[in-house]
Amino acid sequence: MIAKLIPLDGSPALLIIREVTLVGRKGGECDIALEHPSISKLHCAIARTDGLLFVRDLGSTNGTKVNGQRVTRGALLPGDELTFANIRFKVFLGPGEMPARPDDHTEVLNIPVRLGDDDFDPLPVEFDAEPEIESDVRPLSDSRVY
């Protein structure tokens, strides 16, 4: 199966070649680096499985959308529109073999910032402290007999 994201701005298509592809602004850590201030460093992950694609937002500041609907995770079908912050792609899934690519390959797409792109906050959200999480799970003491 060939899987790719086709930018709606006419840029070259981005191949999804791995089982799990990281998308974000951090070129050294992401398989697809989108160099635009509205994209989070680690924006989302795309998984290939059984001829399908699945997307999972990784807590990005400006969100991930499928067909205009903001999602935390979801399936991608051929022809769906996938949006990272305000960068839009058309999903292509088709028959065929993926071209051979080295494992350390990173696709980089430079996206120009246009005046009027102020719908999204380009700065990451800062957190003061780690949130407290209520949980019923408690650690076992070392003195217990099993």
Side-chain angles (χ1 to χ4, degrees):
M1 170 187 78
I2 294 176
K4 57 186 171 180
L5 301 179
I6 303 168
L8 296 184
D9 68 357
S11 300
L14 303 173
L15 288 172
I16 307 295
I17 58 175
R18 297 182 182 201
E19 287 183 24
V20 177
T21 299
L22 290 177
V23 177
R25 211 173 9 132
K26 251 185 159 176
E29 293 183 27
C30 295
D31 304 305
I32 296 178
L34 302 174
E35 295 183 2
H36 190 275
S38 67
I39 302 294
S40 294
K41 289 177 185 174
L42 294 174
H43 199 91
C44 74
I46 299 173
R48 291 171 44 119
T49 179
D50 298 329
L52 296 173
L53 289 180
F54 294 92
V55 65
R56 180 169 191 122
D57 188 85
L58 298 174
S60 65
T61 302
N62 294 315
T64 300
K65 294 180 182 178
V66 176
N67 297 325
Q69 187 76 18
R70 191 166 179 162
V71 297
T72 54
R73 63 181 173 213
L76 298 172
L77 299 174
D80 279 351
E81 184 178 295
L82 179 61
T83 307
F84 309 122
N86 60 348
I87 313 302
R88 299 176 355 174
F89 296 88
K90 182 75 82 179
V91 175
F92 175 86
L93 295 170
E97 293 297 315
M98 292 296 293
R101 299 296 274 281
D103 272 347
D104 61 353
H105 181 74
T106 298
E107 296 269 353
V108 177
L109 182 61
N110 288 306
I111 302 164
V113 178
R114 296 182 314 263
L115 294 175
D117 277 354
D118 56 356
D119 293 337
F120 297 95
D121 181 9
L123 301 175
V125 175
E126 294 184 25
F127 297 97
D128 293 332
E130 202 170 295
E132 290 186 31
I133 299 173
E134 293 288 326
S135 175
D136 293 336
V137 177
R138 303 286 180 240
L140 295 174
S141 68
D142 293 319
S143 63
R144 274 203 167 154
V145 177
Y146 298 102

